[in-house]
Amino acid sequence: MVATSESSPSVPGPPDPVRSGPVRFAVPAVAVLLALVLGALLAPFPASIGDERTGDPDLAARLRAASEPGQVGLAAAEIGPGGTVSAAIGDDGHGDPLRADAPMEIGSITKTFTGAVLADLVRQGVVRPDDRVRDLVPDRPWRDGGGGDATLAELASHRSGLPRLPVSLGGIVRNYGYTLFGINPYDATPDDTFAAADEATPSGRGEVQYSNLGISLLGHALATRTGTPYPELLRIHVTAPLGLAATAVPAQDPPAGAAIGHDETGRPVQDWISPGDAPAGSGVFSTAADMAVYARAMMDGWAPGADAATPRWDAGSLGRIGYAWYTLERGGRTLLWKNGGSGGMSSSILVDPEQRRAVVVLGNSNASVDDTAFRLIGAPAPSGLSSLLEPAALIATAAATILPVFTGAWFLATVRGGWGRRASGTVRRSRVVGAAGSTLLGFTAAFVLGAVSWLFAPFWLVGCALAGAGAGIAVLRWRQLDPDRGDGSRSRWIGAVGTVVVGLALAVGVSGVFV
């Protein structure tokens, strides 16, 4: 009799970690928690002003009450019938309390200086408002129909039709450098300004269309006509007569003791020092104390080139414009106003000649200080300073809300092999690694392109949670993923690892390491 063998009972192997209950949920849960903590620490949330305070206690208290998210430090001066008081709150970027005498970039307030130089030279008979640029700079072979045909008055009032900024590949690259790493995007000479204006094709000439290029062209045209470089021209016609000892146009480095500029998240950024763009406000430094002297001189009408503030042309929702100064009717009051922003700095100056009051606010972040200044002077801020319907604002809002959620959800779906209750499909390890790098890129883009507001914080955190869940599942399923060793695997792995390297490099860069 032949014995028959019976099959041995199978011995159960170790449980599949993917399917075992506690591990299946614990690993993704821990990953989600870690992602939320890390996301909260690195999120593009608006900066807040510290408890530091210097100067007049009452003004400092009102300045804090008028402050907004995204501001790091504020310095202010208030001029009234009883005299001038100044105060500052927050940090100067060096770890010390900000002071009202700390040099800061004043940005486009400089345009009113350039307008004052024009008005003073007109008063002296050196130039006329209707002189063209080509008349002041005759040695240059100006192209017909370009910036050389603009008049001085058109340039000073933003009616030349020139674009806001020169358009060039180098400029685009530098703007990306600022957006990603906070690096100075401006690096022009006066000759560069002339060339950019000559190559531009004006559009809408006669209408008020804000143009940094136009004001820069005006400043260097006046400098050429007088044979005096713009910084010296500014000293002769504005800063020396007013005694503005702390107001200067440095050639390279910021003045000693200057505050450090920041973006709205509190990340340090470089100063915008550029000789070619100085007449429009790049790299011009002053203090709240100096600006108070300037504001009082404008209020009293004895400032050099004070005629620049005379309203001459309609500026739509911003009232009327003279040579860079705007005249607004707000709350039954007539106000002179100009603001600025440059190199992580913001500024605003308001003058009420009738009530004998003026306010200057300087901030060392690029969060606007306009609303703060209008609150201090007791007038409603004008609508039209910015619009949520403008393309840039729409892009920033979409980047802050849609991009982080989409990025996190896409990574989770990639790791799971699709969507659905039982997502299936073969997932290569190289694909998961590449998706991790793309996720870093997506969150970096959301950080640098997105609008900064506490309203958008939930979208960022939801995206982090989704990405964290994907990371947890990737760890859990790593051994079950396709190791990707077949044809074309080498190129796929190179691409995946390269994406991770680029994503990490950009993520480190936006943290401010390179600034």
Side-chain angles (χ1 to χ4, degrees), residues 8-393:
S8 302
S10 60
V11 178
D16 184 351
V18 175
R19 296 183 178 179
S20 61
V23 175
R24 180 183 180 185
F25 295 103
V27 173
V30 171
V32 168
L33 180 61
L34 291 176
L36 285 172
V37 172
L38 186 62
L41 292 174
L42 302 178
F45 297 157
S48 58
I49 295 178
D51 296 331
E52 300 92 344
R53 182 188 71 183
T54 59
D56 182 76
D58 177 67
L59 177 57
R62 289 187 291 115
L63 186 59
R64 187 173 297 279
S67 65
E68 296 188 328
Q71 295 169 340
V72 175
L74 295 173
E78 187 175 55
I79 301 95
T84 300
V85 294
S86 62
I89 59 175
D91 188 272
D92 67 355
H94 299 283
D96 297 318
L98 184 65
R99 299 176 58 87
D101 58 359
M104 302 167 72
E105 284 192 76
I106 59 172
S108 289
I109 289 180
T110 305
K111 290 179 172 66
T112 67
F113 290 168
T114 304
V117 172
L118 170 60
D120 210 30
L121 290 175
V122 168
R123 179 187 63 81
Q124 296 175 10
V126 177
V127 297
R128 296 172 302 176
D130 292 334
D131 285 344
R132 298 177 301 171
V133 171
R134 65 170 65 247
D135 299 326
L136 273 66
V137 191
D139 294 338
R140 185 178 185 88
W142 294 95
R143 181 177 61 88
D144 290 338
D149 291 331
T151 69
L152 306 183
E154 287 173 338
L155 295 173
S157 56
H158 301 291
R159 297 179 303 114
S160 66
L162 289 172
R164 186 182 185 96
L165 295 168
V167 179
S168 68
L169 178 60
I172 293 173
V173 172
R174 287 192 295 272
N175 282 333
Y176 274 114
Y178 177 73
T179 300
L180 289 172
F181 307 125
I183 298 172
N184 176 18
Y186 292 103
D187 183 23
T189 66
D191 283 341
D192 292 333
T193 299
F194 287 138
D198 193 28
E199 294 166 3
T201 300
S203 175
R205 185 175 178 182
E207 302 174 5
V208 175
Q209 300 178 100
Y210 203 84
S211 175
N212 289 312
L213 176 58
I215 298 291
S216 292
L217 179 62
L218 170 64
H220 293 306
L222 295 174
T224 301
R225 172 65 180 83
T226 59
T228 308
Y230 178 78
E232 180 65 10
L233 197 66
L234 191 64
R235 188 193 68 79
I236 293 171
H237 290 273
V238 179
T239 62
L242 289 173
L244 307 183
T247 303
V249 188
Q252 291 183 329
D253 299 319
I260 294 177
H262 304 78
D263 66 13
E264 289 183 70
T265 69
R267 179 184 62 154
V269 299
Q270 288 185 347
D271 302 297
W272 288 2
I273 296 178
S274 173
D277 301 294
S282 291
V284 179
F285 288 78
S286 188
T287 65
D290 261 20
M291 287 294 94
V293 175
Y294 180 49
R296 179 173 286 282
M298 291 299 301
M299 182 174 67
D300 294 339
W302 63 267
D307 185 54
T310 301
R312 294 172 169 87
W313 300 279
D314 180 66
S317 62
L318 298 181
R320 294 180 63 78
I321 191 170
Y323 295 161
W325 280 102
Y326 292 94
T327 299
L328 304 170
E329 299 294 333
R330 305 301 300 164
R333 300 162 65 181
T334 301
L335 303 173
L336 298 179
W337 169 74
K338 188 67 186 80
N339 65 352
S342 174
M345 307 280 185
S346 296
S347 58
S348 197
I349 181 171
L350 283 161
V351 180
D352 184 344
E354 184 175 346
Q355 292 194 8
R356 312 292 298 161
R357 294 191 62 200
V359 164
V360 174
V361 180
L362 307 181
N364 64 335
S365 86
N366 57 19
S368 172
V369 297
D370 288 327
D371 286 349
T372 300
F374 276 92
R375 290 188 189 111
L376 287 180
I377 207 168
S383 59
L385 295 183
S386 62
S387 172
L388 293 177
L389 298 180
E390 291 179 356

Side-chain angles (χ1 to χ4, degrees), residues 402-428:
I402 299 173
L403 192 53
V405 175
F406 173 82
T407 298
W410 175 79
F411 180 63
L412 177 58
T414 299
V415 172
R416 296 183 74 247
W419 284 109
R421 183 176 179 82
R422 292 184 177 273
S424 60
T426 302
V427 180
R428 296 189 181 98

